[in-house]
Amino acid sequence: QPGRINDVVTDVLSFVMAQKRFSRINVKTLLMHQLPLIEMDRDQIAQVVINLLNNAADAIAETGRSDGIIIVSTTATTDSVTLSVSDNGRGMTADVKDKLFKTHLTTKPKGHGYGLMTCAKILQSHSATIAINSQIGFGTTFEFKFNLASDQPKS
């Protein structure tokens, strides 16, 4: 159904911020006001955001840094809405980046590899494009671009 991704982001953040893994991380939001609607399954998009936030928190924890930061942002153009999640965690090699969203890929000792695979299926069903930028020692940014819903409200 048509919906605003900012609503999903704020709901998810209010839920996850109570978790211990986020207690030492500064989470910032840069959400564009009055975003256009996108066609989405709200619960599925929430699952993607939860997974990305958890992965970002884990990547920061692996560095042992006390200045962890996650930035969640949204922007829009005339034909799309973009959701971005960035962290200053450990980053990833090009080899790991190329294998992301594949079945059972995990870099976590207790990971199972289903998180990003599930995200990929959700994003594919939403016709979203994925861009990933990562640098070892500096962090990672995941960017997802969604098409606008066909029926936008009149201003």
Side-chain angles (χ1 to χ4, degrees), residues 28-116:
K28 294 184 181 271
T29 56
L30 302 170
L31 305 180
M32 183 177 174
H33 294 290
Q34 298 181 338
L35 280 178
L37 302 176
I38 63 169
E39 290 287 338
M40 68 173 164
D41 179 313
R42 188 179 170 89
D43 293 338
Q44 289 183 352
I45 297 302
Q47 185 61 51
V48 170
V49 176
I50 289 168
N51 188 288
L52 290 173
L53 290 170
N54 286 338
N55 284 355
D58 291 347
I60 291 168
E62 289 173 11
T63 68
R65 67 188 327 149
S66 59
D67 63 343
I69 186 167
I70 297 172
I71 301 170
V72 182
S73 62
T74 56
T75 57
T77 65
T78 56
D79 61 351
S80 66
V81 169
T82 301
L83 167 66
S84 176
V85 178
S86 300
D87 67 66
N88 65 345
R90 64 186 176 109
M92 63 185 100
T93 65
D95 184 49
V96 169
K97 184 176 138 187
D98 290 343
K99 293 177 184 173
L100 285 181
F101 300 107
K102 305 284 193 294
T103 304
H104 304 301
L105 172 72
T106 185
T107 58
K108 301 175 189 177
K110 294 182 179 180
H112 49 66
Y114 288 115
L116 287 179

Side-chain angles (χ1 to χ4, degrees), residues 14-28:
S14 67
F15 168 72
V16 301
M17 292 311 296
Q19 297 177 13
K20 185 177 179 180
R21 67 172 43 167
F22 293 97
S23 65
R24 301 179 81 197
I25 296 173
N26 185 3
V27 179
K28 294 184 181 271

Side-chain angles (χ1 to χ4, degrees), residues 2-18:
R4 299 199 191 282
I5 201 160
N6 284 356
D7 295 342
V8 175
V9 169
T10 54
D11 287 351
V12 167
L13 284 171
S14 67
F15 168 72
V16 301
M17 292 311 296

